[in-house]
């Protein structure tokens, strides 16, 4: 594990995964962490020319919001001596995870999991489940 993708949303499970990476970095010299936060892409359906400025502002706000998450995790990692790069994004989580993995040659995904039971995952789905099945590299889940 040298180049890690770390999807981060500042939830309690994500914070535990962040602490795991900080602790792991003490045993793994040269670790690089790519911190990803993905916000939903605001959409307008139809032809609303007058609302295009509103849509542009919504996207700018979503990007800024995403950056607050990535900046927080990057600062924590850098304070621990870990090389970290933030990737604020707008779009679909799995697509962005796949993109960042490919662009940065990540060898592992480390992410928090909400720890839902089997029935909850079956009914509601799980981002961790999507990532596990949607990437070709190892995924380490932190509860």
């Amino acid at each position: 594990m040298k180049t890690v993708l770390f999807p981060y949303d500042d939830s309690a499970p994500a914070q535990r995964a962040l602490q795991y990476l900080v602790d792991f970095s003490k045993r793994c010299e040269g670790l690089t962490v790519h911190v990803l936060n993905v916000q939903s892409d605001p959409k307008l359906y139809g032809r609303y020319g007058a609302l295009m400025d509103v849509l542009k502002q919504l996207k700018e706000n979503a990007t800024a919001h995403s950056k607050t998450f990535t900046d927080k995790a990057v600062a924590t990692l850098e304070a621990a001596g870990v090389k970290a790069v933030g990737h604020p994004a707008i779009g679909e989580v799995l697509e962005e995870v796949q993109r960042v993995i490919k662009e940065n040659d990540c060898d592992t995904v480390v992410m928090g999991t909400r720890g839902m039971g089997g029935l909850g995952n079956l009914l509601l789905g799980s981002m961790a489940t999507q990532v596990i099945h949607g990437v070709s590299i190892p995924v380490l889940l932190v509860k």
Side-chain angles (χ1 to χ4, degrees), residues 1-139:
M1 203 163 63
K2 287 289 189 185
T3 307
V4 172
L5 172 65
F6 176 48
Y8 182 75
D9 65 1
D10 201 33
S11 65
Q15 290 175 18
R16 288 190 295 274
L18 178 60
Q19 186 59 52
Y20 173 85
L21 285 169
V22 167
D23 296 342
F24 180 78
S25 72
K26 295 172 184 165
R27 299 185 312 268
C28 179
E29 200 170 306
L31 182 66
T32 300
V33 178
H34 292 273
V35 180
L36 173 66
N37 178 271
V38 182
Q39 297 294 309
S40 296
D41 188 8
K43 293 180 172 67
L44 291 176
Y45 297 98
R47 297 190 145 192
Y48 301 103
L51 294 177
M52 294 313 291
D53 287 339
V54 172
L55 183 61
K56 180 180 176 189
Q57 186 63 48
L58 287 171
K59 287 184 179 197
E60 289 173 2
N61 290 346
T63 300
H65 187 64
S66 180
K67 189 172 181 331
T68 63
F69 290 116
T70 59
D71 286 353
K72 180 178 180 180
V74 166
T76 299
L77 290 161
E78 287 179 341
V82 180
K83 180 180 176 187
V85 180
H87 299 273
I90 297 174
E92 298 298 323
V93 175
L94 184 56
E95 290 174 11
E96 291 301 315
V97 164
Q98 293 167 334
R99 179 186 63 79
V100 174
I101 287 170
K102 184 177 180 180
E103 288 178 1
N104 297 283
D105 199 25
C106 297
D107 57 33
T108 309
V109 176
V110 174
M111 64 188 296
T113 178
R114 300 214 192 283
M116 297 173 75
L119 183 60
N121 283 338
L122 179 65
L123 296 175
L124 301 173
S126 163
M127 191 48 56
T129 301
Q130 288 182 38
V131 171
I132 289 168
H133 294 290
V135 302
S136 60
I137 61 176
V139 178

